[in-house]
């Protein structure tokens, strides 16, 4: 899909090969820089490869299409076309690369390590991509230039769009305004799934078993832990926990001491009077002689025959018949001797002696104290300095996000110092959200300031900035509309979008400043280059949508949607804003 998109946009195998070689060189260089600066990659920062391809191919397509536009002129040679393309698009590429790098560097101050490392690697990648697009790619094109047979005017697939956007600019803006308001109305309902379990394949045995454990309050792995100064204080706090509606039970070391021991010991003593003679150990004894064992087997076999004749249960009668037949066959065998008889005894008696021994032990029960508990259990609930641990079990299934939030909130209202898996999940999720919001805000601010400084026009900076903001709003609205909650993997969509999509507005605004009006803008190669740059990025990230890892799949879906919104906003909304600005400026004049 990626190669097909490139070929459809460039219509030249040579140009496609040149861009691919440039991408490979840049990707290897970025990977080497990442290994040198960061070292090991994580599940988030490993996405730098897809990110580099998306941005690297964007720069290359912008240069290559501008080169084709210049090459198509009658009075241009291949060398002159390269020179003019570099002069014409170099500034826009540099601004786009710097803006993307600045937005990615905004990830670094955040507390989300994966996002911070991705930002550093991506920022380095933008420098590598810009350098490769302005050096490696022109050098390759100079070695493998377009042949003269390709020279001449080619149809522009977006040339027709300029005039309708100018004529219907108000309708376009009103329609997009309505869409934006709809997305904003959904934004308050956006959700964040902080459970990393939901990023794994739910059909695997491990995940299915873990969810089964979550459904049972007695086995739920999501328990809250609280430390108290001693066991007495822990027991008092556990009693308060058990009175909460969201708590199933609160376990301390004292929970393993049986209640009502005096009453239970009296019952055991009464049972001992009756059962003790039956289970009394008579001590070691010699095995009976073989003749006695054979006589017992014969008696047993005759009783089987009698019982088989009396029983009315057909299945039981059939089972007795098979046993009688097996015993008869055993006795008829030629090796019916002492060894065979010794082998039969444990099979018949089974674990009956062990059961009797266990019963004798139970009947000799005595009061249980804390000192009687196993050392491993004591160490689990009681520290060496006397501090005692309370383990609080939830009543609800904590695979439900709201149930987990309620459980943590209610328990921490009683014990603010509580910890454990539910608390870590909730606090970790809040930290990730905060990190991504900080990265998004810093990226927007840095990008806006950079555009204002470079473009030196509040109007042009605003117009280049609007498509990016609209794409962010529509992405948040789509998360609600399509039931795609943000999670630990796809939350990076928002800050990534700033680095990926801010270039589209920059390209169009800077080209508009040189060509005059919107109609003339769409006759050039820049809108087409923006379209195909976005399509290649969409195809690159879209491959993540079919990943078996649910987290990566959701990341691919959301980035695909956000990039689609960004390119449509740039090609439709931005020209309409330009047309309004041209109209008002003309009226003012």
């Amino acid at each position: 899909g990626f190669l097909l998109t490139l070929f459809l946009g460039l219509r030249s195998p040579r140009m496609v090969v040149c861009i691919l070689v440039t991408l490979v060189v840049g990707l290897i260089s970025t990977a080497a820089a990442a290994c040198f600066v960061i070292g090991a990659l994580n599940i988030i920062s490993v996405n730098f490869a897809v990110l580099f391809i998306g941005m690297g191919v964007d720069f290359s397509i912008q240069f290559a299409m501008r080169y084709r536009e210049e090459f198509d002129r009658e009075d241009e040679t291949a060398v002159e076309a390269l020179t003019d393309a570099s002069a014409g698009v170099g500034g826009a590429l540099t601004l786009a690369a710097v803006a993307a790098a600045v937005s990615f560097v905004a990830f670094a101050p955040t507390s989300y390590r994966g996002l911070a490392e991705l930002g550093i690697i991506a920022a380095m990648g933008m420098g590598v991509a810009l350098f490769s697009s302005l050096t490696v790619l022109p050098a390759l094109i100079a070695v493998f230039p377009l042949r003269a047979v390709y020279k001449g005017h080619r149809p522009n697939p977006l040339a027709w769009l300029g005039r309708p956007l100018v004529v219907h600019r108000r309708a376009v803006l009103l329609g997009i305004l309505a869409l934006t308001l709809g997305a904003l109305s959904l934004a308050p309902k956006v959700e964040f799934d902080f459970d990393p379990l939901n990023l794994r394949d739910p059909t695997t045995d491990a995940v299915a078993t873990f969810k089964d454990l979550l459904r049972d309050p007695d086995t739920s792995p999501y328990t809250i832990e609280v430390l108290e100064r001693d066991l007495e204080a822990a027991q008092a706090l556990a009693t308060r926990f058990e009175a909460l509606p969201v708590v199933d039970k609160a376990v301390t070391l004292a929970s393993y001491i049986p209640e009502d021991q005096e009453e239970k010991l009296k019952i055991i003593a009464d049972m001992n009077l009756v059962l003790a003679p039956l289970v009394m150990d008579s001590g070691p004894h010699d095995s009976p002689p073989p003749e006695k064992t054979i006589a017992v087997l014969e008696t047993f076999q005759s009783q089987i025959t009698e019982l088989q004749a009396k029983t009315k249960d057909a299945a039981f009668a059939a089972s007795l018949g098979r046993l009688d037949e097996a015993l008869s066959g055993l006795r008829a065998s030629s090796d019916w001797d002492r060894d065979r008889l010794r082998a039969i005894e444990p099979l018949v008696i089974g674990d009956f002696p062990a059961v009797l021994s266990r019963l004798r032990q139970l009947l000799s029960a005595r009061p249980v104290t804390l000192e009687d508990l196993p050392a491993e259990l004591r160490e689990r609930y009681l520290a060496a300095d006397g501090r005692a641990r309370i383990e609080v079990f939830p009543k609800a299934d904590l695979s439900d996000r709201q149930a987990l939030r309620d459980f943590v909130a209610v328990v921490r209202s009683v014990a603010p110092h509580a910890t454990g898996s539910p608390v870590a999940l909730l606090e970790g999720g809040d930290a990730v959200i905060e990190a991504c919001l900080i990265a998004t805000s810093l990226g927007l601010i840095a990008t806006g300031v950079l555009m204002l400084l470079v473009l030196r026009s509040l109007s042009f900076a605003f117009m280049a900035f609007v498509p990016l903001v609209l794409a962010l709003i529509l992405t948040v609205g789509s998360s609600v509309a399509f039931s795609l909650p943000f999670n630990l993997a796809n939350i990076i969509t928002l800050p990534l979008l700033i680095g990926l999509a801010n270039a589209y507005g920059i390209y169009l605004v800077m080209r508009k400043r040189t060509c005059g009006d919107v109609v003339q803008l769409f006759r050039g190669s820049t809108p087409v280059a923006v379209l195909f740059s976005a399509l290649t990025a969409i195809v690159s990230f879209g491959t993540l949508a079919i990943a078996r890892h649910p987290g990566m799949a959701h990341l691919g879906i959301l980035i695909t949607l956000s990039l689609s919104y960004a390119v449509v906003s740039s090609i439709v909304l931005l020209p309409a804003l330009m047309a309004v600005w041209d109209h008002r400026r003309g009226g003012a004049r």
Side-chain angles (χ1 to χ4, degrees):
F2 176 81
L3 293 177
L4 179 61
T5 306
L6 271 181
F7 181 77
L8 290 176
L10 298 171
R11 299 297 179 93
S12 169
R14 289 190 178 191
M15 299 291 285
V16 171
V17 172
C18 290
I19 289 178
L20 289 178
V21 172
T22 303
L23 285 177
V24 171
V25 171
L27 187 59
I28 293 174
S29 302
T30 304
C35 292
F36 180 77
V37 176
I38 302 297
L41 300 176
N42 55 54
I43 192 174
I44 300 299
S45 61
V46 75
N47 289 303
F48 87 91
V50 182
L51 188 63
F52 178 86
I53 292 174
M55 291 300 295
V57 77
D58 174 38
F59 297 161
S60 297
I61 287 179
Q62 292 292 330
F63 185 93
M65 286 199 166
R66 187 59 177 268
Y67 165 71
R68 293 207 62 159
E69 180 182 346
E70 300 296 338
F71 182 77
D72 283 342
R73 301 182 190 277
E74 295 294 338
D75 56 344
E76 290 273 347
T77 64
V79 174
E80 291 173 338
L82 271 177
T83 303
D84 293 342
S86 299
V89 81
L93 290 183
T94 302
L95 176 57
V98 173
V102 167
S103 66
F104 289 139
V105 169
F107 299 179
T110 64
S111 57
Y112 191 9
R113 179 180 175 183
L115 186 64
E117 292 182 355
L118 176 62
I120 295 173
I121 298 173
M124 294 189 298
M126 294 306 97
V128 173
L130 176 65
F131 180 80
S132 301
S133 299
L134 294 180
T135 57
V136 178
L137 181 59
L140 289 172
I141 293 176
V143 175
F144 305 103
L146 288 174
R147 290 177 295 179
V149 69
Y150 289 109
K151 196 174 183 67
H153 178 70
R154 289 172 180 78
N156 186 331
L158 294 181
W160 63 273
L161 191 57
R163 188 167 299 279
L165 287 175
V166 173
V167 174
H168 303 291
R169 57 187 180 276
R170 295 182 184 275
V172 171
L173 294 180
L174 288 175
I176 292 178
L177 177 62
L179 186 63
T180 305
L181 293 176
L184 287 174
S185 67
L186 295 175
K189 301 178 182 178
V190 69
E191 295 183 358
F192 178 74
D193 184 0
F194 43 77
D195 193 344
L197 183 67
N198 294 330
L199 299 181
R200 300 182 178 273
D201 187 354
T203 62
T204 60
D205 293 339
V207 175
T209 302
F210 193 89
K211 290 188 175 182
D212 287 340
L213 293 175
L214 282 176
R215 297 187 188 99
D216 188 348
D218 291 328
T219 60
S220 177
Y222 287 168
T223 59
I224 289 182
E225 322 294 333
V226 182
L227 279 181
E228 282 296 298
R229 64 181 183 277
D230 53 40
L231 184 57
E232 183 179 355
Q235 289 178 265
L237 186 57
T239 302
R240 293 180 60 190
F241 283 141
E242 290 182 339
L244 300 175
V246 297
V247 174
D248 181 68
K249 61 179 177 290
V251 178
T252 66
L253 183 62
S255 302
Y256 292 91
I257 303 298
E259 298 179 352
D260 303 323
Q261 291 194 57
E262 185 177 351
E263 181 180 350
K264 293 175 181 177
L265 288 172
K266 288 181 180 180
I267 296 174
I268 293 174
D270 293 339
M271 295 174 61
N272 195 24
L273 291 175
V274 179
L275 297 177
L278 301 177
V279 300
M280 184 180 299
D281 188 5
S282 59
H285 57 275
D286 297 331
S287 299
E291 295 77 11
K292 188 174 181 179
T293 302
I294 292 173
V296 170
L297 281 175
E298 291 175 349
T299 303
F300 178 60
Q301 197 168 0
S302 63
Q303 290 175 349
I304 289 176
T305 305
E306 293 176 5
L307 183 58
Q308 186 179 12
K310 292 178 181 179
T311 183
K312 296 180 180 180
D313 188 335
F316 183 47
S319 177
L320 290 173
R322 289 192 296 271
L323 178 58
D324 182 50
E325 183 179 351
L327 289 173
S328 298
L330 180 66
R331 293 176 58 191
S333 61
S334 59
D335 55 351
W336 175 253
D337 53 15
R338 292 176 181 271
D339 293 337
R340 184 60 59 90
L341 290 177
R342 292 194 187 97
I344 292 175
E345 184 175 358
L347 295 176
V348 175
I349 296 177
D351 59 349
F352 186 64
V355 171
L356 289 179
S357 176
R358 177 64 175 161
L359 185 55
R360 283 193 296 270
Q361 184 181 4
L362 293 175
L363 290 174
S364 62
R366 57 185 178 82
V368 179
T369 64
L370 292 175
E371 288 70 21
D372 297 321
L373 296 177
E376 295 82 0
L377 191 61
R378 290 174 55 82
E379 293 171 358
R380 182 179 177 185
Y381 286 95
L382 199 63
D385 59 2
R387 288 180 300 166
R389 170 173 169 258
I390 309 170
E391 191 173 13
V392 186
F393 286 79
K395 185 172 293 183
D397 179 1
L398 294 194
S399 58
D400 179 81
R401 293 190 294 274
Q402 190 56 47
L404 190 145
R405 287 185 180 276
D406 294 341
F407 178 56
V408 172
V410 172
V411 172
R412 297 190 81 182
S413 67
V414 176
H417 56 292
T419 61
S421 299
V423 178
L425 287 175
L426 196 58
E427 294 292 342
D430 291 341
V432 170
I433 293 175
E434 181 183 359
C436 288
L437 290 178
I438 291 174
T440 302
S441 302
L442 291 178
L444 284 173
I445 294 172
T447 301
V449 171
L450 181 64
M451 288 181 179
L452 186 60
L453 291 175
V454 175
L455 296 176
R456 299 181 180 276
S457 168
L458 182 61
S459 299
F460 281 115
F462 172 78
M463 286 187 288
F465 202 61
V466 166
L468 179 60
V469 175
L470 177 60
L472 288 171
I473 295 173
L474 293 179
T475 300
V476 174
S478 297
S479 172
V480 179
F482 300 135
S483 299
L484 290 171
F486 289 105
N487 53 47
L488 296 173
N490 65 20
I491 188 66
I492 66 173
T493 298
L494 300 180
L496 280 184
L497 179 63
I498 299 174
L500 288 169
N502 61 16
Y504 303 155
I506 292 173
Y507 298 145
L508 292 171
V509 166
M510 295 192 72
R511 187 66 187 273
K512 164 68 170 57
R513 297 181 72 172
T514 61
C515 66
D517 59 25
V518 173
V519 175
Q520 194 64 29
L521 169 67
F522 274 86
R523 290 174 180 169
S525 62
T526 303
V528 180
V530 167
L531 174 62
F532 280 97
S533 295
L535 288 178
T536 53
I538 289 171
V539 171
S540 298
F541 284 100
T543 56
L544 295 176
I546 60 175
R548 296 185 61 182
H549 190 285
M552 290 295 101
H554 289 172
L555 173 63
I557 293 172
L558 271 184
I559 289 190
T560 299
L561 288 174
S562 63
L563 289 175
S564 301
Y565 298 143
V567 67
V568 172
S569 301
S570 300
I571 295 179
V572 177
L573 171 63
L574 181 54
L577 285 174
M578 292 175 176
V580 171
W581 186 77
D582 286 345
H583 179 75
R584 291 187 175 181
R585 188 181 60 169
R589 288 179 178 175

